Amino acid sequence: MTGSVSHAGSLAAATIAAPHIEYSQLAPILVVFGAALAGVLVEAFLPRRARRAAHLVISFGGLGAAFILTIIIAASSSIFTGGSPGHIAAMGAVAVDRPTLFIQGTILVLAFLSVLIIADTAHGLSPFVAQAAAVPGSAEEREGLLKGITHTEIYPLTLFAVGGMMLFPASNDLLTMFVALEVLSLPLYLLCGLARRRRLLSQEAAMKYFLLGAFSSAFFLFGIALLYGYAGSVRLSAIATAATSNAGSETLLLSGLALLGLGLLFKIGAVPFQGWKPDVYQGAPTPITALMASCTVVSAFGALLRVFYVAFGSLTWDWRPVMWAVAVLTMVVGAIVAITQTDMKRLLAYSSISHAGYILVAVIAASEIGLSSSLFYLVTYGFTTIGAFALITLVRDPSGEADHLSRWAGLGRRSPLVAGTFAFFLLAFAGIPLTSGFTGKFAVFQAAVAGGATPLVIVGVLSSAIAAFFYVRVIVLMFFSDPVPDGPALVVPSVFTGTAVAIGAVVTLVLGIVPGPVLNLANHAASQLFVR
């Protein structure tokens, strides 16, 4: 008996091989997660007064090092020099190809700018609560505010979220994608509830995001189970092979596709899964809103492109009609409902919803040009969004940020530079020529026409015209209305926020005038979406 057990154990030991992990290919992701873990150690061992400085060094250093490593991998690997196809790392779990590297580089730059806004505590105006566990309005909360306590846990939480955002679009199997989805979502649920002002609204936003996000994750996981039952594998290429050969039950395939798509469309805020977005954008601290509106959208669209182009590329006749309806609703609902908004952050939330519809127009093209135009649009939208939300943090009332539109009346007379820069970002959102928004919309509409989706382009142009109304309304309010007597104070931007605004404005202008280099890079990246 003992000999049989020993023999079975030796056979098991002989058949189990150690996994092969390509650490060099995964280095950018590992560096970000390593920086997040270092931030946890800082919270555990450093005194409170020394934590913020250490976190800034770790956060900026980790994001900068990860971006450099991304460039090195892209430059040294054959995938960017016209050689063999991209690499599948970690035993088939992670795809390191051109779209992955492009999206990861974009996320890292946008995350760097978001951390600049998060780190801005100039004039003692930290956007984050002193003690998250304190009951709003309690003596403990007031004591924490008077002592100037700040939540430095936001930095490792942000890095964990960014690490998940990098892994999400790179996942080559659905289980890895689900893990990445939870890693990026759970820190954001916490961060949304840490606003210094309007605590109850912030906590409500965090709870709504958590509950609805949990439902969407459950649908996503159920979709994975159905697709595993259909294909016998969770790897995207295996699902694509099974779908092409018509093996298994079509009901399982289409049901899994629908549930998986529901989870992904929730993360990008597409209609009819957009209900969480205005409330969460309004209640979350504005720097976290900037992070979500830029990095999370880029990551979610990257995952959506990989799933629908790799796993379901042969089923375009099945999912394109549904995506047509979703894209039309997203563009139209986002533009029309935004007209009724009186809160600046809610207005930009509905603007984000309509922009998600424009990107879906390119996704529907289901072609290389559709992929490249989607990647380019994500870059243009991300930088403009960072700049716009950074400027919102500078317009303040005694109770906090002046979010209500009426408080922005006459801002152009009080601070022409702030109002002019914000107007420039709004014009970019509207797609006015000589801004990145124009070149981005032109690229996605061109891809849709090439893919035979001309009616979608017509709807997109009409919704853009509707959206231009509420963007111009804000500009008219700032420059052609009388200032309110007790108008908001304008905070002089620190180096952190000023840098984020400046980079956002410069990129928005440059990509509107000279979009060629980034367009060429996006075209080159889109030429190889790896399937294996």
Short mmCIF file of all heavy atoms in Angstrom, two decimals, residues 375-419:
data_model
loop_
_atom_site.label_atom_id
_atom_site.label_comp_id
_atom_site.label_asym_id
_atom_site.label_seq_id
_atom_site.Cartn_x
_atom_site.Cartn_y
_atom_site.Cartn_z
N LEU A 375 -7.78 52.82 -31.22
CA LEU A 375 -6.60 53.11 -30.41
C LEU A 375 -6.26 54.59 -30.43
O LEU A 375 -5.95 55.19 -29.39
CB LEU A 375 -5.41 52.29 -30.92
CG LEU A 375 -5.53 50.76 -30.82
CD1 LEU A 375 -4.31 50.09 -31.45
CD2 LEU A 375 -5.71 50.32 -29.38
N PHE A 376 -6.33 55.21 -31.60
CA PHE A 376 -6.02 56.64 -31.70
C PHE A 376 -7.03 57.46 -30.93
O PHE A 376 -6.67 58.42 -30.23
CB PHE A 376 -5.99 57.06 -33.17
CG PHE A 376 -5.69 58.52 -33.38
CD1 PHE A 376 -4.41 59.00 -33.22
CD2 PHE A 376 -6.70 59.40 -33.72
CE1 PHE A 376 -4.12 60.35 -33.39
CE2 PHE A 376 -6.43 60.74 -33.90
CZ PHE A 376 -5.14 61.22 -33.74
N TYR A 377 -8.31 57.11 -31.05
CA TYR A 377 -9.34 57.89 -30.35
C TYR A 377 -9.17 57.78 -28.84
O TYR A 377 -9.39 58.76 -28.11
CB TYR A 377 -10.73 57.38 -30.74
CG TYR A 377 -11.85 58.36 -30.45
CD1 TYR A 377 -12.40 59.11 -31.47
CD2 TYR A 377 -12.33 58.55 -29.15
CE1 TYR A 377 -13.42 60.02 -31.21
CE2 TYR A 377 -13.35 59.46 -28.89
CZ TYR A 377 -13.88 60.19 -29.92
OH TYR A 377 -14.87 61.10 -29.66
N LEU A 378 -8.78 56.63 -28.34
CA LEU A 378 -8.56 56.47 -26.91
C LEU A 378 -7.45 57.39 -26.41
O LEU A 378 -7.54 57.95 -25.31
CB LEU A 378 -8.22 55.01 -26.60
CG LEU A 378 -9.37 54.01 -26.75
CD1 LEU A 378 -8.86 52.58 -26.63
CD2 LEU A 378 -10.46 54.27 -25.73
N VAL A 379 -6.41 57.57 -27.22
CA VAL A 379 -5.33 58.48 -26.82
C VAL A 379 -5.84 59.92 -26.78
O VAL A 379 -5.62 60.65 -25.81
CB VAL A 379 -4.14 58.36 -27.80
CG1 VAL A 379 -3.08 59.42 -27.50
CG2 VAL A 379 -3.53 56.97 -27.71
N THR A 380 -6.52 60.33 -27.84
CA THR A 380 -6.99 61.72 -27.89
C THR A 380 -7.97 62.02 -26.77
O THR A 380 -7.88 63.05 -26.10
CB THR A 380 -7.66 62.01 -29.25
OG1 THR A 380 -8.81 61.16 -29.40
CG2 THR A 380 -6.70 61.75 -30.39
N TYR A 381 -8.90 61.12 -26.54
CA TYR A 381 -9.91 61.36 -25.50
C TYR A 381 -9.29 61.35 -24.11
O TYR A 381 -9.66 62.14 -23.25
CB TYR A 381 -11.01 60.29 -25.60
CG TYR A 381 -11.99 60.36 -24.46
CD1 TYR A 381 -12.95 61.37 -24.41
CD2 TYR A 381 -11.96 59.43 -23.43
CE1 TYR A 381 -13.84 61.45 -23.35
CE2 TYR A 381 -12.84 59.50 -22.38
CZ TYR A 381 -13.78 60.51 -22.34
OH TYR A 381 -14.66 60.58 -21.29
N GLY A 382 -8.34 60.46 -23.88
CA GLY A 382 -7.74 60.34 -22.56
C GLY A 382 -7.03 61.61 -22.11
O GLY A 382 -7.23 62.10 -20.99
N PHE A 383 -6.22 62.20 -22.97
CA PHE A 383 -5.48 63.41 -22.59
C PHE A 383 -6.42 64.61 -22.40
O PHE A 383 -6.23 65.41 -21.48
CB PHE A 383 -4.42 63.72 -23.65
CG PHE A 383 -3.18 62.90 -23.51
CD1 PHE A 383 -3.00 61.75 -24.28
CD2 PHE A 383 -2.18 63.26 -22.63
CE1 PHE A 383 -1.87 60.98 -24.16
CE2 PHE A 383 -1.03 62.50 -22.50
CZ PHE A 383 -0.87 61.35 -23.26
N THR A 384 -7.41 64.74 -23.26
CA THR A 384 -8.36 65.84 -23.11
C THR A 384 -9.14 65.72 -21.81
O THR A 384 -9.39 66.71 -21.11
CB THR A 384 -9.33 65.87 -24.31
OG1 THR A 384 -8.58 65.91 -25.53
CG2 THR A 384 -10.24 67.08 -24.24
N THR A 385 -9.53 64.51 -21.47
CA THR A 385 -10.29 64.28 -20.24
C THR A 385 -9.47 64.62 -19.01
O THR A 385 -9.97 65.25 -18.06
CB THR A 385 -10.75 62.81 -20.19
OG1 THR A 385 -11.59 62.54 -21.32
CG2 THR A 385 -11.51 62.52 -18.92
N ILE A 386 -8.22 64.19 -18.99
CA ILE A 386 -7.34 64.51 -17.84
C ILE A 386 -7.26 66.02 -17.65
O ILE A 386 -7.39 66.54 -16.53
CB ILE A 386 -5.94 63.92 -18.06
CG1 ILE A 386 -5.97 62.39 -17.95
CG2 ILE A 386 -4.94 64.51 -17.07
CD1 ILE A 386 -6.10 61.87 -16.56
N GLY A 387 -7.04 66.76 -18.72
CA GLY A 387 -6.92 68.20 -18.62
C GLY A 387 -8.20 68.86 -18.13
O GLY A 387 -8.17 69.77 -17.28
N ALA A 388 -9.36 68.39 -18.61
CA ALA A 388 -10.63 68.99 -18.22
C ALA A 388 -10.91 68.77 -16.75
O ALA A 388 -11.30 69.71 -16.02
CB ALA A 388 -11.76 68.40 -19.07
N PHE A 389 -10.73 67.57 -16.25
CA PHE A 389 -11.00 67.31 -14.84
C PHE A 389 -9.97 67.98 -13.93
O PHE A 389 -10.29 68.37 -12.80
CB PHE A 389 -11.06 65.81 -14.57
CG PHE A 389 -12.37 65.18 -14.94
CD1 PHE A 389 -12.48 64.37 -16.06
CD2 PHE A 389 -13.50 65.40 -14.18
CE1 PHE A 389 -13.69 63.79 -16.41
CE2 PHE A 389 -14.72 64.83 -14.52
CZ PHE A 389 -14.81 64.02 -15.64
N ALA A 390 -8.75 68.12 -14.41
CA ALA A 390 -7.76 68.84 -13.61
C ALA A 390 -8.17 70.29 -13.42
O ALA A 390 -7.98 70.87 -12.34
CB ALA A 390 -6.39 68.75 -14.28
N LEU A 391 -8.74 70.91 -14.44
CA LEU A 391 -9.19 72.30 -14.32
C LEU A 391 -10.39 72.43 -13.38
O LEU A 391 -10.52 73.43 -12.68
CB LEU A 391 -9.55 72.85 -15.69
CG LEU A 391 -8.36 73.22 -16.59
CD1 LEU A 391 -8.84 73.63 -17.97
CD2 LEU A 391 -7.55 74.36 -15.98
N ILE A 392 -11.24 71.42 -13.35
CA ILE A 392 -12.39 71.47 -12.44
C ILE A 392 -11.93 71.57 -10.98
O ILE A 392 -12.58 72.23 -10.16
CB ILE A 392 -13.29 70.24 -12.66
CG1 ILE A 392 -14.01 70.36 -14.01
CG2 ILE A 392 -14.32 70.10 -11.54
CD1 ILE A 392 -14.88 69.16 -14.35
N THR A 393 -10.81 70.96 -10.65
CA THR A 393 -10.31 71.01 -9.27
C THR A 393 -9.87 72.41 -8.85
O THR A 393 -9.69 72.66 -7.66
CB THR A 393 -9.14 70.04 -9.08
OG1 THR A 393 -8.02 70.47 -9.89
CG2 THR A 393 -9.51 68.62 -9.49
N LEU A 394 -9.69 73.32 -9.81
CA LEU A 394 -9.19 74.67 -9.50
C LEU A 394 -10.30 75.66 -9.20
O LEU A 394 -10.04 76.75 -8.70
CB LEU A 394 -8.34 75.19 -10.66
CG LEU A 394 -7.14 74.35 -11.08
CD1 LEU A 394 -6.43 75.01 -12.25
CD2 LEU A 394 -6.18 74.14 -9.92
N VAL A 395 -11.55 75.34 -9.54
CA VAL A 395 -12.67 76.26 -9.35
C VAL A 395 -13.42 75.82 -8.09
O VAL A 395 -14.09 74.79 -8.09
CB VAL A 395 -13.61 76.25 -10.57
CG1 VAL A 395 -14.71 77.29 -10.42
CG2 VAL A 395 -12.81 76.51 -11.85
N ARG A 396 -13.31 76.62 -7.02
CA ARG A 396 -13.76 76.15 -5.70
C ARG A 396 -14.67 77.14 -5.01
O ARG A 396 -14.48 78.35 -5.11
CB ARG A 396 -12.55 75.86 -4.80
CG ARG A 396 -11.70 74.70 -5.27
CD ARG A 396 -10.54 74.46 -4.34
NE ARG A 396 -9.83 73.25 -4.71
CZ ARG A 396 -10.11 72.03 -4.22
NH1 ARG A 396 -11.09 71.90 -3.36
NH2 ARG A 396 -9.42 70.99 -4.59
N ASP A 397 -15.63 76.58 -4.29
CA ASP A 397 -16.47 77.29 -3.34
C ASP A 397 -15.99 76.98 -1.93
O ASP A 397 -15.15 76.08 -1.74
CB ASP A 397 -17.94 76.84 -3.50
CG ASP A 397 -18.65 77.60 -4.61
OD1 ASP A 397 -18.20 78.72 -4.91
OD2 ASP A 397 -19.63 77.08 -5.15
N PRO A 398 -16.53 77.68 -0.93
CA PRO A 398 -16.17 77.32 0.44
C PRO A 398 -16.49 75.87 0.80
O PRO A 398 -15.82 75.27 1.63
CB PRO A 398 -17.01 78.30 1.29
CG PRO A 398 -17.22 79.47 0.41
CD PRO A 398 -17.33 78.92 -0.97
N SER A 399 -17.50 75.31 0.18
CA SER A 399 -17.89 73.93 0.46
C SER A 399 -17.14 72.91 -0.40
O SER A 399 -17.36 71.71 -0.26
CB SER A 399 -19.39 73.75 0.24
OG SER A 399 -19.73 74.05 -1.10
N GLY A 400 -16.27 73.36 -1.26
CA GLY A 400 -15.53 72.45 -2.13
C GLY A 400 -15.54 72.92 -3.56
O GLY A 400 -15.66 74.11 -3.84
N GLU A 401 -15.42 71.97 -4.49
CA GLU A 401 -15.40 72.33 -5.91
C GLU A 401 -16.74 72.89 -6.35
O GLU A 401 -17.80 72.41 -5.94
CB GLU A 401 -15.04 71.10 -6.74
CG GLU A 401 -13.61 70.61 -6.51
CD GLU A 401 -13.40 69.22 -7.05
OE1 GLU A 401 -14.38 68.64 -7.56
OE2 GLU A 401 -12.28 68.69 -6.93
N ALA A 402 -16.69 73.92 -7.19
CA ALA A 402 -17.91 74.57 -7.70
C ALA A 402 -18.39 73.80 -8.92
O ALA A 402 -18.09 74.16 -10.06
CB ALA A 402 -17.63 76.03 -8.03
N ASP A 403 -19.16 72.76 -8.68
CA ASP A 403 -19.58 71.89 -9.77
C ASP A 403 -20.80 72.42 -10.52
O ASP A 403 -20.99 72.09 -11.69
CB ASP A 403 -19.90 70.49 -9.23
CG ASP A 403 -18.65 69.76 -8.74
OD1 ASP A 403 -17.56 70.08 -9.26
OD2 ASP A 403 -18.76 68.90 -7.86
N HIS A 404 -21.64 73.20 -9.86
CA HIS A 404 -22.87 73.66 -10.51
C HIS A 404 -22.53 74.66 -11.62
O HIS A 404 -21.70 75.56 -11.45
CB HIS A 404 -23.81 74.30 -9.50
CG HIS A 404 -25.23 74.36 -9.97
ND1 HIS A 404 -25.69 75.36 -10.81
CD2 HIS A 404 -26.29 73.54 -9.75
CE1 HIS A 404 -26.97 75.16 -11.08
NE2 HIS A 404 -27.36 74.07 -10.45
N LEU A 405 -23.18 74.52 -12.75
CA LEU A 405 -22.87 75.36 -13.90
C LEU A 405 -23.06 76.84 -13.61
O LEU A 405 -22.30 77.68 -14.13
CB LEU A 405 -23.74 74.96 -15.10
CG LEU A 405 -23.39 73.63 -15.80
CD1 LEU A 405 -24.34 73.41 -16.97
CD2 LEU A 405 -21.96 73.61 -16.26
N SER A 406 -24.04 77.19 -12.78
CA SER A 406 -24.30 78.60 -12.49
C SER A 406 -23.12 79.27 -11.83
O SER A 406 -22.93 80.48 -11.95
CB SER A 406 -25.54 78.74 -11.61
OG SER A 406 -25.33 78.09 -10.36
N ARG A 407 -22.29 78.51 -11.13
CA ARG A 407 -21.13 79.07 -10.45
C ARG A 407 -20.01 79.40 -11.43
O ARG A 407 -19.08 80.12 -11.09
CB ARG A 407 -20.60 78.10 -9.38
CG ARG A 407 -21.66 77.59 -8.42
CD ARG A 407 -22.20 78.73 -7.59
NE ARG A 407 -21.19 79.28 -6.70
CZ ARG A 407 -21.28 80.43 -6.07
NH1 ARG A 407 -22.35 81.20 -6.24
NH2 ARG A 407 -20.33 80.84 -5.27
N TRP A 408 -20.10 78.88 -12.64
CA TRP A 408 -19.06 79.13 -13.65
C TRP A 408 -19.37 80.36 -14.49
O TRP A 408 -18.60 80.71 -15.38
CB TRP A 408 -18.91 77.91 -14.56
CG TRP A 408 -18.26 76.74 -13.88
CD1 TRP A 408 -18.74 76.03 -12.82
CD2 TRP A 408 -17.00 76.13 -14.22
NE1 TRP A 408 -17.88 75.02 -12.48
CE2 TRP A 408 -16.81 75.05 -13.32
CE3 TRP A 408 -16.06 76.36 -15.20
CZ2 TRP A 408 -15.68 74.23 -13.37
CZ3 TRP A 408 -14.94 75.55 -15.26
CH2 TRP A 408 -14.76 74.51 -14.34
N ALA A 409 -20.49 81.02 -14.22
CA ALA A 409 -20.86 82.20 -15.00
C ALA A 409 -19.82 83.30 -14.85
O ALA A 409 -19.39 83.64 -13.74
CB ALA A 409 -22.23 82.72 -14.53
N GLY A 410 -19.40 83.86 -15.97
CA GLY A 410 -18.44 84.95 -15.94
C GLY A 410 -17.03 84.55 -15.58
O GLY A 410 -16.18 85.42 -15.31
N LEU A 411 -16.74 83.26 -15.60
CA LEU A 411 -15.39 82.82 -15.22
C LEU A 411 -14.34 83.36 -16.17
O LEU A 411 -13.20 83.62 -15.77
CB LEU A 411 -15.36 81.28 -15.19
CG LEU A 411 -14.07 80.64 -14.66
CD1 LEU A 411 -13.90 80.93 -13.18
CD2 LEU A 411 -14.08 79.12 -14.90
N GLY A 412 -14.71 83.55 -17.42
CA GLY A 412 -13.76 84.06 -18.40
C GLY A 412 -13.27 85.47 -18.08
O GLY A 412 -12.18 85.85 -18.48
N ARG A 413 -14.09 86.25 -17.38
CA ARG A 413 -13.66 87.60 -17.01
C ARG A 413 -12.76 87.58 -15.78
O ARG A 413 -11.90 88.46 -15.63
CB ARG A 413 -14.89 88.46 -16.73
CG ARG A 413 -15.86 88.55 -17.91
CD ARG A 413 -17.03 89.45 -17.60
NE ARG A 413 -18.05 89.40 -18.65
CZ ARG A 413 -19.16 90.13 -18.64
NH1 ARG A 413 -19.40 90.96 -17.62
NH2 ARG A 413 -20.03 90.02 -19.62
N ARG A 414 -12.98 86.62 -14.91
CA ARG A 414 -12.18 86.56 -13.68
C ARG A 414 -10.86 85.86 -13.91
O ARG A 414 -9.85 86.20 -13.30
CB ARG A 414 -12.98 85.84 -12.60
CG ARG A 414 -14.33 86.49 -12.30
CD ARG A 414 -15.06 85.75 -11.20
NE ARG A 414 -14.27 85.72 -9.98
CZ ARG A 414 -14.58 84.98 -8.92
NH1 ARG A 414 -15.64 84.19 -8.96
NH2 ARG A 414 -13.84 85.02 -7.84
N SER A 415 -10.86 84.83 -14.75
CA SER A 415 -9.63 84.10 -15.04
C SER A 415 -9.65 83.64 -16.49
O SER A 415 -10.06 82.51 -16.80
CB SER A 415 -9.49 82.89 -14.11
OG SER A 415 -8.31 82.16 -14.40
N PRO A 416 -9.24 84.51 -17.40
CA PRO A 416 -9.29 84.16 -18.82
C PRO A 416 -8.48 82.92 -19.17
O PRO A 416 -8.87 82.16 -20.07
CB PRO A 416 -8.71 85.40 -19.51
CG PRO A 416 -8.88 86.51 -18.51
CD PRO A 416 -8.73 85.88 -17.18
N LEU A 417 -7.35 82.70 -18.46
CA LEU A 417 -6.50 81.55 -18.79
C LEU A 417 -7.20 80.24 -18.46
O LEU A 417 -7.25 79.31 -19.29
CB LEU A 417 -5.17 81.65 -18.05
CG LEU A 417 -4.17 80.52 -18.32
CD1 LEU A 417 -3.82 80.46 -19.80
CD2 LEU A 417 -2.92 80.69 -17.46
N VAL A 418 -7.76 80.14 -17.25
CA VAL A 418 -8.44 78.90 -16.85
C VAL A 418 -9.66 78.67 -17.74
O VAL A 418 -9.87 77.56 -18.27
CB VAL A 418 -8.85 78.96 -15.37
CG1 VAL A 418 -9.75 77.78 -15.01
CG2 VAL A 418 -7.61 78.95 -14.48
N ALA A 419 -10.48 79.71 -17.92
CA ALA A 419 -11.68 79.56 -18.74
C ALA A 419 -11.33 79.26 -20.19
O ALA A 419 -11.99 78.44 -20.85
CB ALA A 419 -12.52 80.83 -18.65
#
